């Protein structure tokens, strides 16, 4: 049997919005332990989102949450060896992993974007995800397509 599962760490809410999800996102955004800079980047990105989407009646935080939901995958494929052959088996994503994947994809594709400054790139990716477009949304769509294509191997689920 494997070792005991590690205890879940308690994540404190962020100072501006009092939201734990924001802190988790900032923790993923953070590079080499610079949390204050990561918070600054995130808050600046939300300000930019607010300026660019004035006509929307939603707050920038709500736009960010909807964007996260839009890039959250429901199913993924996992490799499974059965009798010498490797099959891509579609499996449902655990709730914690869903959140983690969506945040990491949003940040990854924001970093890949062309633009000046991480705040601008992140704001552009959030707006794109909110409008159901952009790299992170495409990644989710691709994951779903792969799972759909390999639906025949669903009976190999572990």
């Amino acid at each position: 049997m494997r070792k005991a599962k590690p205890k879940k760490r308690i994540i404190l809410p962020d100072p501006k919005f009092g939201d734990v999800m924001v802190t988790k996102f900032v923790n993923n955004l953070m590079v080499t332990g610079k949390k204050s800079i990561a918070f600054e980047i995130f808050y600046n990105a939300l300000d930019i989102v607010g300026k660019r989407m004035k006509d929307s009646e939603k707050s920038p935080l709500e736009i960010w949450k909807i964007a996260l939901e839009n890039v959250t995958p429901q199913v993924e494929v996992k490799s499974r060896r059965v009798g010498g052959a490797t099959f891509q088996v579609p499996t449902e994503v655990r709730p914690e992993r869903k959140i983690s994947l969506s945040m990491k994809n949003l940040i990854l594709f924001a970093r890949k974007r062309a633009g000046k400054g991480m705040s601008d790139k992140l704001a552009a990716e959030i707006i794109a995800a909110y409008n159901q477009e952009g790299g992170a949304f495409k990644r989710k769509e691709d994951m779903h397509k792969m799972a759909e294509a390999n639906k025949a191997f669903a009976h190999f689920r572990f």
Side-chain angles (χ1 to χ4, degrees):
M1 215 166 109
R2 291 179 188 233
K3 290 193 301 180
K5 287 227 192 268
K7 288 190 178 83
K8 287 270 181 237
R9 290 209 176 115
I10 298 160
I11 295 174
L12 298 171
D14 77 297
K16 193 172 180 181
F17 299 110
D19 196 346
V20 177
M21 287 278 283
V22 171
T23 308
K24 283 184 183 178
F25 189 82
V26 167
N27 287 346
N28 283 314
L29 184 64
M30 179 170 51
V31 180
T32 62
K34 308 273 188 179
K35 194 174 237 176
S36 58
I37 291 171
F39 267 120
E40 196 176 308
I41 288 168
F42 180 73
Y43 293 144
N44 288 344
L46 285 190
D47 290 341
I48 293 165
V49 167
K51 286 175 193 162
R52 288 191 192 161
M53 300 193 70
K54 281 189 209 114
D55 54 336
S56 177
E57 65 276 348
K58 291 181 172 66
S59 71
L61 187 69
E62 288 172 329
I63 291 170
W64 171 75
K65 284 188 176 180
I66 292 167
L68 260 186
E69 278 176 34
N70 288 345
V71 298
T72 302
Q74 303 303 316
V75 286
E76 65 180 342
V77 289
K78 287 187 175 178
S79 296
R80 172 120 162 98
R81 276 184 68 88
V82 179
T86 306
F87 296 108
Q88 295 288 328
V89 180
T91 52
E92 217 171 294
V93 187
R94 292 190 331 271
E96 306 93 55
R97 185 164 160 74
K98 276 183 192 176
I99 295 165
S100 176
L101 279 173
S102 62
M103 288 180 179
K104 285 176 183 171
N105 284 338
L106 201 63
I107 292 165
L108 174 80
F109 284 100
R111 285 196 176 124
K112 285 183 180 177
R113 255 177 192 272
K116 199 167 187 203
M118 186 57 190
S119 297
D120 288 330
K121 294 184 199 178
L122 185 60
E125 191 63 34
I126 288 169
I127 291 168
Y130 177 75
N131 296 326
Q132 297 190 348
E133 50 197 26
F137 185 75
K138 190 178 181 311
R139 164 77 56 95
K140 177 198 127 177
E141 291 294 304
D142 291 345
M143 284 175 94
H144 282 215
K145 278 181 195 160
M146 277 180 57
E148 186 66 31
N150 292 301
K151 201 165 59 175
F153 307 124
H155 64 283
F156 289 130
R157 220 175 267 139
F158 18 96

